Amino acid sequence: MKRAIPSRQALRHLARLCNEPIRSARAPLCTVSRQTHPAAQLRSTPPQPSRTLSTSAPSRQEPPTTTTTTTSSANETTNIAPPPLPDTTSYYTLFPSTLPQGPPPSGPFAIPLPALRREYLSLQSTHHPDKFPASSPLHKQSLGLSALLNTAYKTLSSPLLRAQYLLLHRHDIDVSSEDNSQNITDQGTLMEVMEAQEAVEEAANEDEIAALKEENNERVWATVQKMGDAFEREDVEEAKKECLRLKYWESLGQVLHDWEPGKEVRLVH
């Protein structure tokens, strides 16, 4: 049986049919194009909440940081090591820079007062109670030390108080006591004191008082020199004698300072 030869029209129809698979093979390009469409992306990816963008660096975190720093600084201030305390064995050991040799006889009786004052002020500044919290043990300790420094400085600055301190704490002799049975003044000193007292009572004007002041200042200076020499050679009895004389001259100096015409003259014995 002879095969029928397709007509030209049939061939064109077949060609169209054959080309359909080719177009359908390229169809995935259209599919990809549809997936990349903005509308498709919005449908496939859920919208992200806007609040998640602000969680990376919230501004309200700054106050805790400042508070922590302040607390840390306060702790550092509280935990600062206190300065080393001076040696409180005696008034002399409180001032090692000015009095490195200590009291006589190892050291001199005379004291350089400007150097003593500088060291005193430096110690008071270092151990001032205001440097420590009022409720801390260091504050109470600094109060006691400050009072001790005041007393020691006042005592060592005065030759009379210094001599009384040395006699009491090194030789157990209290010349500041009101009991004069242990502190008998020699007759020569008593006569000299009585004459000085009479001169003050007879003074009639400021010029005479000025001359008596000058005379008494010379007595004070000479007595301090003799007393210092006695301490340095450990002559306790001589040091005590000159210390008692110095008490009279110091008292006379105060009387001359407070002098007024007709005012009663009373010396402290």
Side-chain angles (χ1 to χ4, degrees), residues 136-226:
S136 70
L138 290 176
H139 181 78
K140 183 181 296 185
Q141 183 185 66
S142 64
L143 286 173
L145 179 57
S146 179
L148 178 62
L149 288 169
N150 285 336
T151 304
Y153 174 72
K154 178 182 178 181
T155 300
L156 296 178
S157 297
S158 165
L160 176 59
L161 296 179
R162 191 190 320 153
Q164 292 176 348
Y165 172 80
L166 291 173
L167 288 171
L168 178 61
H169 292 276
R170 294 180 66 86
H171 306 288
D172 199 26
I173 299 174
D174 187 5
V175 295
S176 64
S177 172
E178 295 182 359
D179 181 10
N180 291 325
S181 61
Q182 297 181 358
N183 305 321
I184 300 176
T185 306
D186 64 278
Q187 292 299 314
T189 299
L190 287 177
M191 291 299 295
E192 191 176 0
V193 170
M194 289 176 63
E195 291 175 359
Q197 181 173 340
E198 289 176 359
V200 176
E201 291 173 346
E202 295 173 357
N205 52 56
E206 291 286 350
D207 291 339
E208 293 181 3
I209 292 297
L212 292 176
K213 286 181 179 179
E214 185 66 27
E215 184 180 352
N216 192 64
N217 288 339
E218 292 177 359
R219 291 194 194 100
V220 170
W221 183 86
T223 303
V224 170
Q225 296 301 312
K226 291 179 182 179

Coordinates of all heavy atoms in Angstrom, one line a residue, residues 136-226:
S136 N 34.1 56.4 109.4 CA 35.1 55.4 109.3 C 36.0 55.4 110.5 O 36.2 56.5 111.2 CB 35.9 55.6 108.0 OG 36.7 56.8 108.1
P137 N 36.6 54.3 110.9 CA 37.6 54.2 112.0 C 38.8 55.2 111.7 O 39.4 55.7 112.7 CB 38.0 52.8 112.0 CG 36.9 52.0 111.4 CD 36.4 52.9 110.3
L138 N 39.2 55.4 110.4 CA 40.3 56.2 110.1 C 40.0 57.7 110.5 O 40.9 58.4 110.9 CB 40.6 56.2 108.6 CG 41.2 54.9 108.1 CD1 41.4 54.9 106.6 CD2 42.6 54.6 108.8
H139 N 38.7 58.1 110.5 CA 38.4 59.5 110.9 C 38.6 59.7 112.4 O 39.2 60.7 112.8 CB 36.9 59.7 110.5 CG 36.5 61.1 110.9 ND1 36.8 62.2 110.1 CD2 35.7 61.6 111.9 CE1 36.3 63.3 110.7 NE2 35.6 62.9 111.8
K140 N 38.2 58.7 113.2 CA 38.4 58.8 114.6 C 39.9 58.7 114.9 O 40.3 59.5 115.8 CB 37.6 57.7 115.3 CG 37.7 57.7 116.8 CD 37.0 56.5 117.5 CE 35.5 56.6 117.2 NZ 34.7 55.5 117.9
Q141 N 40.6 57.9 114.2 CA 42.0 57.8 114.5 C 42.7 59.1 114.1 O 43.6 59.6 114.9 CB 42.6 56.7 113.7 CG 44.1 56.4 113.8 CD 44.6 55.3 112.9 OE1 44.7 55.5 111.7 NE2 45.0 54.2 113.4
S142 N 42.3 59.7 113.1 CA 43.0 61.0 112.6 C 42.6 62.1 113.6 O 43.4 63.0 113.8 CB 42.5 61.3 111.2 OG 41.1 61.6 111.1
L143 N 41.4 62.1 114.2 CA 41.1 63.1 115.2 C 42.0 63.0 116.4 O 42.5 64.0 116.9 CB 39.7 62.9 115.7 CG 38.5 63.3 114.7 CD1 37.2 62.9 115.3 CD2 38.6 64.8 114.5
G144 N 42.3 61.8 116.9 CA 43.2 61.6 118.0 C 44.6 62.0 117.7 O 45.3 62.7 118.5
L145 N 45.1 61.7 116.5 CA 46.4 62.0 116.1 C 46.6 63.5 115.9 O 47.6 64.1 116.3 CB 46.8 61.3 114.8 CG 48.2 61.6 114.2 CD1 49.3 61.2 115.2 CD2 48.4 60.8 112.9
S146 N 45.6 64.2 115.3 CA 45.6 65.6 115.2 C 45.7 66.3 116.5 O 46.5 67.3 116.7 CB 44.4 66.1 114.4 OG 44.4 67.5 114.2
A147 N 45.0 65.9 117.5 CA 45.1 66.5 118.8 C 46.4 66.2 119.5 O 47.0 67.1 120.1 CB 44.0 65.9 119.7
L148 N 47.0 65.0 119.2 CA 48.3 64.7 119.8 C 49.4 65.6 119.1 O 50.3 66.1 119.8 CB 48.6 63.3 119.5 CG 50.0 62.8 120.0 CD1 50.2 63.0 121.5 CD2 50.3 61.3 119.6
L149 N 49.3 65.8 117.8 CA 50.2 66.7 117.1 C 50.2 68.1 117.6 O 51.2 68.8 117.8 CB 50.0 66.6 115.6 CG 50.4 65.4 114.9 CD1 49.8 65.4 113.5 CD2 51.9 65.2 114.9
N150 N 48.9 68.6 117.9 CA 48.8 70.0 118.4 C 49.5 70.1 119.8 O 50.2 71.1 120.0 CB 47.3 70.3 118.6 CG 46.6 70.6 117.3 OD1 47.3 71.0 116.3 ND2 45.3 70.4 117.2
T151 N 49.2 69.2 120.7 CA 49.8 69.2 122.0 C 51.4 69.1 121.9 O 52.1 69.9 122.6 CB 49.3 68.1 122.9 OG1 47.8 68.2 122.9 CG2 49.8 68.2 124.3
A152 N 51.8 68.2 121.1 CA 53.3 68.0 121.0 C 54.0 69.3 120.4 O 55.0 69.7 120.9 CB 53.6 66.8 120.1
Y153 N 53.4 69.8 119.4 CA 54.0 71.0 118.8 C 54.0 72.2 119.8 O 55.0 72.9 119.9 CB 53.2 71.4 117.6 CG 53.6 72.8 116.9 CD1 54.8 72.8 116.3 CD2 52.8 73.9 117.1 CE1 55.3 74.1 115.8 CE2 53.2 75.1 116.5 CZ 54.5 75.2 115.9 OH 54.9 76.4 115.3
K154 N 52.9 72.4 120.5 CA 52.8 73.5 121.5 C 53.9 73.3 122.6 O 54.5 74.2 123.0 CB 51.4 73.5 122.1 CG 51.3 74.6 123.2 CD 49.9 74.6 123.8 CE 49.7 75.6 124.9 NZ 48.4 75.6 125.5
T155 N 54.0 72.0 123.1 CA 55.0 71.7 124.1 C 56.4 71.9 123.7 O 57.2 72.6 124.4 CB 54.8 70.3 124.6 OG1 53.4 70.1 125.1 CG2 55.8 69.9 125.7
L156 N 56.8 71.4 122.5 CA 58.2 71.5 122.1 C 58.5 72.9 121.7 O 59.7 73.3 121.7 CB 58.4 70.5 120.9 CG 58.2 69.0 121.3 CD1 58.5 68.2 120.1 CD2 59.2 68.6 122.4
S157 N 57.5 73.7 121.3 CA 57.8 75.1 120.9 C 58.2 76.0 122.0 O 58.8 77.0 121.8 CB 56.6 75.7 120.1 OG 56.4 74.9 118.9
S158 N 57.8 75.6 123.2 CA 58.1 76.4 124.4 C 59.2 75.8 125.2 O 59.1 74.6 125.6 CB 56.8 76.5 125.3 OG 57.1 77.0 126.6
P159 N 60.3 76.5 125.5 CA 61.4 76.0 126.3 C 60.9 75.5 127.7 O 61.3 74.5 128.2 CB 62.4 77.1 126.4 CG 62.1 78.0 125.2 CD 60.6 77.9 124.9
L160 N 60.0 76.3 128.3 CA 59.5 75.9 129.6 C 58.7 74.6 129.6 O 58.9 73.7 130.4 CB 58.6 77.1 130.2 CG 58.0 76.8 131.6 CD1 59.0 76.4 132.6 CD2 57.1 77.9 132.0
L161 N 57.7 74.6 128.7 CA 56.9 73.3 128.5 C 57.7 72.1 128.1 O 57.5 71.0 128.6 CB 55.7 73.6 127.5 CG 54.7 74.6 127.9 CD1 53.7 74.8 126.8 CD2 54.1 74.3 129.3
R162 N 58.7 72.4 127.3 CA 59.6 71.3 126.8 C 60.4 70.8 128.0 O 60.5 69.5 128.2 CB 60.6 71.9 125.7 CG 61.3 70.8 125.0 CD 62.4 71.5 124.1 NE 61.9 72.7 123.5 CZ 62.7 73.7 123.1 NH1 64.0 73.6 123.4 NH2 62.1 74.7 122.5
A163 N 60.9 71.7 128.9 CA 61.7 71.2 130.0 C 60.8 70.5 131.0 O 61.2 69.4 131.6 CB 62.3 72.4 130.7
Q164 N 59.6 70.9 131.2 CA 58.6 70.2 132.1 C 58.3 68.9 131.6 O 58.2 67.9 132.3 CB 57.4 71.1 132.3 CG 57.6 72.4 133.0 CD 56.3 73.2 133.1 OE1 55.3 72.9 132.4 NE2 56.3 74.2 134.0
Y165 N 58.2 68.8 130.3 CA 57.9 67.5 129.6 C 59.0 66.5 129.8 O 58.8 65.3 130.2 CB 57.6 67.7 128.1 CG 57.5 66.4 127.3 CD1 56.3 65.7 127.3 CD2 58.5 65.9 126.6 CE1 56.2 64.5 126.6 CE2 58.4 64.7 125.8 CZ 57.3 64.0 125.9 OH 57.2 62.9 125.2
L166 N 60.3 67.0 129.6 CA 61.4 66.1 129.8 C 61.6 65.6 131.2 O 61.9 64.5 131.5 CB 62.7 66.8 129.3 CG 62.8 67.1 127.8 CD1 64.0 68.0 127.5 CD2 62.9 65.8 127.0
L167 N 61.4 66.6 132.2 CA 61.6 66.2 133.6 C 60.5 65.2 134.0 O 60.8 64.2 134.8 CB 61.5 67.5 134.4 CG 62.7 68.4 134.4 CD1 62.3 69.7 135.1 CD2 63.9 67.8 135.0
L168 N 59.3 65.3 133.5 CA 58.2 64.4 133.9 C 58.4 63.0 133.2 O 58.3 62.0 133.9 CB 56.9 65.0 133.6 CG 55.6 64.2 133.9 CD1 55.6 63.9 135.4 CD2 54.4 64.8 133.4
H169 N 58.6 63.0 131.9 CA 58.6 61.7 131.2 C 59.9 61.0 131.2 O 59.9 59.8 130.9 CB 58.1 62.0 129.8 CG 56.7 62.4 129.7 ND1 55.6 61.5 129.6 CD2 56.1 63.6 129.6 CE1 54.5 62.1 129.6 NE2 54.7 63.4 129.6
R170 N 61.0 61.7 131.5 CA 62.3 61.0 131.5 C 62.8 60.8 132.9 O 63.7 60.0 133.2 CB 63.3 61.8 130.6 CG 62.9 61.7 129.2 CD 64.0 62.5 128.3 NE 65.2 61.8 128.3 CZ 65.6 60.8 127.5 NH1 64.7 60.4 126.6 NH2 66.8 60.3 127.6
H171 N 62.4 61.7 133.8 CA 62.9 61.6 135.2 C 61.8 61.6 136.3 O 62.2 61.7 137.5 CB 63.9 62.8 135.4 CG 64.9 63.0 134.4 ND1 66.0 62.1 134.3 CD2 65.1 63.8 133.3 CE1 66.8 62.4 133.3 NE2 66.2 63.5 132.7
D172 N 60.6 61.6 135.9 CA 59.5 61.5 136.8 C 59.4 62.6 137.8 O 59.2 62.4 139.0 CB 59.5 60.1 137.6 CG 58.2 59.7 138.2 OD1 57.1 60.2 137.7 OD2 58.2 59.0 139.2
I173 N 59.7 63.8 137.4 CA 59.7 65.0 138.2 C 58.7 66.0 137.7 O 58.8 66.4 136.5 CB 61.1 65.7 138.3 CG1 62.1 64.7 138.9 CG2 61.0 67.0 139.1 CD1 63.5 65.3 138.8
D174 N 57.6 66.2 138.4 CA 56.5 67.1 138.0 C 56.7 68.5 138.6 O 56.2 68.8 139.7 CB 55.2 66.5 138.3 CG 54.0 67.3 137.7 OD1 54.3 68.2 136.9 OD2 52.9 66.9 138.1
V175 N 57.4 69.4 137.9 CA 57.5 70.8 138.3 C 56.3 71.6 138.1 O 56.3 72.8 138.5 CB 58.8 71.4 137.7 CG1 60.0 70.7 138.1 CG2 58.7 71.4 136.2
S176 N 55.4 71.1 137.3 CA 54.1 71.9 137.1 C 53.1 71.7 138.1 O 52.0 72.3 138.1 CB 53.6 71.5 135.7 OG 53.2 70.2 135.7
S177 N 53.4 70.7 139.1 CA 52.4 70.4 140.1 C 52.2 71.6 141.1 O 53.2 72.4 141.3 CB 52.9 69.2 140.9 OG 52.0 68.9 142.0
E178 N 51.1 71.7 141.7 CA 50.8 72.8 142.7 C 51.4 72.4 144.0 O 51.5 73.3 144.9 CB 49.3 73.0 142.8 CG 48.6 73.5 141.6 CD 47.2 73.8 141.8 OE1 46.7 73.5 142.9 OE2 46.5 74.3 140.9
D179 N 51.8 71.2 144.2 CA 52.5 70.7 145.4 C 54.0 71.2 145.4 O 54.8 70.5 144.7 CB 52.4 69.2 145.6 CG 53.0 68.7 146.9 OD1 53.4 69.6 147.7 OD2 53.2 67.5 147.0
N180 N 54.3 72.3 146.0 CA 55.6 72.9 146.0 C 56.6 72.2 146.9 O 57.7 72.6 147.0 CB 55.6 74.4 146.2 CG 54.9 75.1 145.1 OD1 55.0 74.8 143.9 ND2 54.1 76.2 145.5
S181 N 56.1 71.2 147.7 CA 57.0 70.5 148.6 C 58.2 69.8 147.9 O 59.2 69.6 148.4 CB 56.3 69.5 149.5 OG 55.7 68.5 148.7
Q182 N 57.9 69.4 146.6 CA 59.0 68.7 145.9 C 59.7 69.7 145.0 O 60.7 69.4 144.4 CB 58.3 67.7 145.0 CG 57.6 66.6 145.7 CD 57.0 65.5 144.8 OE1 57.1 65.7 143.6 NE2 56.5 64.5 145.3
N183 N 59.3 71.0 144.9 CA 59.9 71.9 144.0 C 60.3 73.2 144.8 O 59.7 74.3 144.7 CB 58.9 72.3 142.9 CG 58.4 71.1 142.2 OD1 59.1 70.2 141.9 ND2 57.1 71.1 141.8
I184 N 61.2 73.0 145.7 CA 61.7 74.1 146.5 C 62.7 75.0 145.7 O 63.7 74.5 145.2 CB 62.4 73.6 147.8 CG1 61.4 72.7 148.6 CG2 62.9 74.7 148.6 CD1 61.9 72.1 149.8
T185 N 62.4 76.2 145.7 CA 63.3 77.2 144.9 C 64.4 77.7 145.9 O 64.1 77.9 147.1 CB 62.5 78.4 144.4 OG1 61.4 77.9 143.7 CG2 63.3 79.3 143.6
D186 N 65.6 77.8 145.4 CA 66.7 78.2 146.2 C 66.5 79.7 146.6 O 65.8 80.5 146.0 CB 68.0 78.0 145.5 CG 68.1 78.9 144.2 OD1 67.5 78.5 143.2 OD2 68.7 80.0 144.3
Q187 N 67.1 80.0 147.7 CA 66.9 81.4 148.3 C 67.4 82.5 147.4 O 66.8 83.6 147.4 CB 67.7 81.4 149.7 CG 67.1 80.6 150.8 CD 65.7 81.0 151.1 OE1 65.4 82.2 151.2 NE2 64.8 80.0 151.2
G188 N 68.5 82.2 146.7 CA 69.0 83.2 145.8 C 68.0 83.6 144.7 O 67.8 84.8 144.4
T189 N 67.3 82.6 144.2 CA 66.3 82.8 143.1 C 65.1 83.6 143.7 O 64.6 84.5 143.1 CB 65.8 81.5 142.5 OG1 66.9 80.9 141.9 CG2 64.7 81.8 141.5
L190 N 64.7 83.2 144.9 CA 63.6 83.9 145.6 C 63.8 85.3 145.8 O 63.0 86.2 145.6 CB 63.2 83.2 146.9 CG 62.6 81.8 146.8 CD1 62.4 81.2 148.2 CD2 61.3 81.9 146.0
M191 N 65.1 85.7 146.3 CA 65.4 87.1 146.5 C 65.4 87.9 145.1 O 64.9 89.0 145.1 CB 66.8 87.2 147.1 CG 66.8 86.7 148.5 SD 65.8 87.6 149.6 CE 66.6 89.3 149.5
E192 N 65.9 87.2 144.1 CA 65.9 87.9 142.8 C 64.5 88.1 142.3 O 64.2 89.2 141.7 CB 66.7 87.0 141.8 CG 67.0 87.7 140.5 CD 67.9 86.9 139.6 OE1 68.3 85.7 140.0 OE2 68.2 87.3 138.5
V193 N 63.6 87.2 142.5 CA 62.2 87.3 142.1 C 61.5 88.4 142.8 O 60.8 89.2 142.3 CB 61.5 86.0 142.2 CG1 60.0 86.1 142.0 CG2 62.0 84.9 141.3
M194 N 61.8 88.5 144.1 CA 61.1 89.5 145.0 C 61.6 90.9 144.5 O 60.7 91.8 144.5 CB 61.5 89.3 146.4 CG 60.8 88.1 147.0 SD 61.3 87.8 148.7 CE 60.7 89.2 149.5
E195 N 62.8 91.1 144.2 CA 63.3 92.4 143.7 C 62.7 92.8 142.4 O 62.3 93.9 142.2 CB 64.8 92.3 143.6 CG 65.6 92.2 145.0 CD 67.1 92.1 144.8 OE1 67.5 92.1 143.6 OE2 67.8 92.0 145.8
A196 N 62.6 91.8 141.5 CA 61.9 92.1 140.2 C 60.5 92.4 140.4 O 59.9 93.3 139.7 CB 62.1 90.8 139.3
Q197 N 59.8 91.8 141.3 CA 58.4 92.1 141.5 C 58.2 93.5 142.1 O 57.3 94.2 141.7 CB 57.8 91.1 142.5 CG 56.3 91.3 142.8 CD 55.7 90.1 143.6 OE1 56.3 89.0 143.7 NE2 54.6 90.4 144.3
E198 N 59.1 93.9 143.0 CA 59.0 95.3 143.6 C 59.3 96.3 142.5 O 58.7 97.4 142.5 CB 60.1 95.4 144.7 CG 59.7 94.6 145.9 CD 60.8 94.7 147.0 OE1 61.8 95.4 146.7 OE2 60.6 94.1 148.1
A199 N 60.2 96.0 141.6 CA 60.5 97.0 140.5 C 59.2 97.2 139.6 O 58.9 98.3 139.2 CB 61.6 96.5 139.7
V200 N 58.5 96.1 139.4 CA 57.2 96.3 138.6 C 56.2 97.1 139.4 O 55.5 97.9 138.8 CB 56.7 94.9 138.2 CG1 55.4 95.0 137.5 CG2 57.7 94.1 137.4
E201 N 56.1 96.9 140.7 CA 55.1 97.6 141.5 C 55.4 99.1 141.6 O 54.5 99.9 141.7 CB 55.1 97.0 142.9 CG 54.5 95.6 142.9 CD 54.6 94.9 144.3 OE1 55.4 95.5 145.1 OE2 53.9 93.9 144.6
E202 N 56.7 99.4 141.5 CA 57.1 100.8 141.6 C 57.1 101.5 140.3 O 57.3 102.8 140.2 CB 58.5 100.9 142.2 CG 58.5 100.4 143.7 CD 60.0 100.3 144.2 OE1 60.9 100.6 143.5 OE2 60.1 100.0 145.4
A203 N 57.0 100.8 139.2 CA 57.0 101.4 137.8 C 55.8 102.4 137.7 O 54.7 102.1 138.1 CB 56.9 100.3 136.8
A204 N 56.1 103.5 137.1 CA 55.1 104.6 137.0 C 54.7 104.8 135.6 O 53.6 105.5 135.3 CB 55.6 105.9 137.6
N205 N 55.4 104.3 134.6 CA 55.0 104.7 133.2 C 55.5 103.5 132.2 O 56.2 102.6 132.7 CB 55.6 106.0 132.8 CG 57.1 106.1 133.0 OD1 57.9 105.2 132.5 ND2 57.5 107.1 133.8
E206 N 55.1 103.7 131.0 CA 55.4 102.6 130.0 C 56.9 102.5 129.7 O 57.4 101.4 129.4 CB 54.7 103.0 128.7 CG 53.2 102.8 128.7 CD 52.7 101.4 128.8 OE1 53.6 100.5 128.6 OE2 51.5 101.1 129.0
D207 N 57.6 103.6 129.8 CA 59.1 103.5 129.5 C 59.8 102.7 130.6 O 60.7 101.9 130.2 CB 59.7 105.0 129.6 CG 59.2 105.8 128.4 OD1 58.8 105.2 127.4 OD2 59.2 107.0 128.5
E208 N 59.4 102.8 131.8 CA 60.0 102.0 132.9 C 59.6 100.5 132.7 O 60.5 99.6 132.9 CB 59.6 102.5 134.2 CG 60.1 103.9 134.6 CD 59.6 104.3 136.0 OE1 59.0 103.5 136.7 OE2 60.0 105.4 136.4
I209 N 58.4 100.3 132.3 CA 58.0 98.9 132.0 C 58.7 98.3 130.8 O 59.1 97.1 130.8 CB 56.4 98.8 131.8 CG1 55.7 99.2 133.0 CG2 56.0 97.5 131.2 CD1 55.9 98.2 134.2
A210 N 59.0 99.1 129.8 CA 59.7 98.6 128.6 C 61.1 98.2 129.0 O 61.7 97.2 128.6 CB 59.8 99.7 127.6
A211 N 61.8 99.0 129.9 CA 63.1 98.7 130.4 C 63.1 97.4 131.2 O 64.0 96.5 131.1 CB 63.7 99.8 131.2
L212 N 62.1 97.2 132.0 CA 61.9 96.0 132.8 C 61.7 94.7 131.9 O 62.2 93.6 132.2 CB 60.8 96.1 133.8 CG 61.0 97.1 135.0 CD1 59.8 97.2 135.8 CD2 62.3 96.7 135.8
K213 N 60.9 95.0 130.8 CA 60.7 93.9 129.9 C 62.0 93.4 129.2 O 62.3 92.2 129.1 CB 59.7 94.3 128.8 CG 58.3 94.4 129.2 CD 57.4 94.8 128.0 CE 56.0 94.9 128.4 NZ 55.1 95.4 127.3
E214 N 62.9 94.4 128.9 CA 64.1 94.0 128.3 C 65.0 93.3 129.2 O 65.7 92.3 128.9 CB 64.8 95.3 127.8 CG 66.1 95.1 127.1 CD 66.0 94.4 125.7 OE1 64.9 94.5 125.1 OE2 66.9 93.7 125.3
E215 N 65.0 93.7 130.5 CA 65.8 93.1 131.5 C 65.3 91.6 131.7 O 66.1 90.7 131.9 CB 65.7 93.9 132.8 CG 66.6 93.3 133.9 CD 66.5 94.2 135.2 OE1 65.9 95.3 135.1 OE2 67.0 93.8 136.3
N216 N 64.0 91.5 131.8 CA 63.5 90.1 132.0 C 63.7 89.2 130.8 O 64.0 88.0 131.0 CB 62.0 90.2 132.2 CG 61.4 88.9 132.8 OD1 61.7 88.5 133.9 ND2 60.5 88.3 132.0
N217 N 63.7 89.8 129.6 CA 64.0 88.9 128.4 C 65.4 88.4 128.5 O 65.7 87.2 128.1 CB 63.8 89.7 127.1 CG 62.4 90.0 126.8 OD1 61.5 89.3 127.3 ND2 62.1 91.1 126.0
E218 N 66.3 89.2 129.0 CA 67.7 88.7 129.2 C 67.8 87.6 130.2 O 68.5 86.6 130.1 CB 68.6 89.9 129.6 CG 68.8 90.9 128.5 CD 69.6 92.1 128.9 OE1 70.1 92.1 130.1 OE2 69.8 93.0 128.1
R219 N 67.0 87.7 131.3 CA 66.9 86.6 132.3 C 66.4 85.3 131.7 O 67.0 84.2 131.9 CB 66.0 87.0 133.5 CG 66.5 88.2 134.3 CD 65.7 88.2 135.6 NE 65.9 89.4 136.4 CZ 65.0 90.4 136.3 NH1 63.9 90.3 135.6 NH2 65.2 91.5 137.0
V220 N 65.4 85.5 130.9 CA 64.8 84.3 130.3 C 65.8 83.6 129.4 O 65.9 82.4 129.4 CB 63.5 84.7 129.5 CG1 63.0 83.5 128.6 CG2 62.4 85.1 130.4
W221 N 66.4 84.4 128.5 CA 67.4 83.8 127.6 C 68.5 83.1 128.3 O 68.9 81.9 128.0 CB 68.0 84.9 126.7 CG 68.9 84.4 125.7 CD1 68.6 83.9 124.4 CD2 70.3 84.3 125.8 NE1 69.7 83.5 123.8 CE2 70.8 83.7 124.6 CE3 71.3 84.6 126.8 CZ2 72.2 83.5 124.4 CZ3 72.6 84.3 126.6 CH2 73.1 83.8 125.4
A222 N 69.1 83.7 129.4 CA 70.2 83.1 130.1 C 69.7 81.8 130.8 O 70.5 80.8 130.9 CB 70.7 84.1 131.1
T223 N 68.5 81.8 131.4 CA 68.0 80.7 132.1 C 67.8 79.5 131.1 O 68.1 78.3 131.4 CB 66.7 81.0 132.8 OG1 66.9 82.1 133.7 CG2 66.2 79.8 133.6
V224 N 67.3 79.8 129.9 CA 67.1 78.7 128.9 C 68.4 78.1 128.5 O 68.5 76.9 128.4 CB 66.3 79.3 127.7 CG1 66.3 78.3 126.6 CG2 64.9 79.7 128.1
Q225 N 69.4 78.9 128.4 CA 70.8 78.4 128.0 C 71.3 77.5 129.1 O 71.8 76.4 128.8 CB 71.7 79.5 127.7 CG 71.4 80.4 126.6 CD 71.3 79.7 125.3 OE1 72.2 78.9 124.9 NE2 70.2 79.9 124.5
K226 N 71.2 77.9 130.3 CA 71.7 77.1 131.4 C 70.9 75.8 131.6 O 71.5 74.7 131.8 CB 71.6 77.8 132.8 CG 72.6 79.0 132.8 CD 72.4 79.7 134.2 CE 73.4 80.9 134.3 NZ 73.2 81.7 135.5

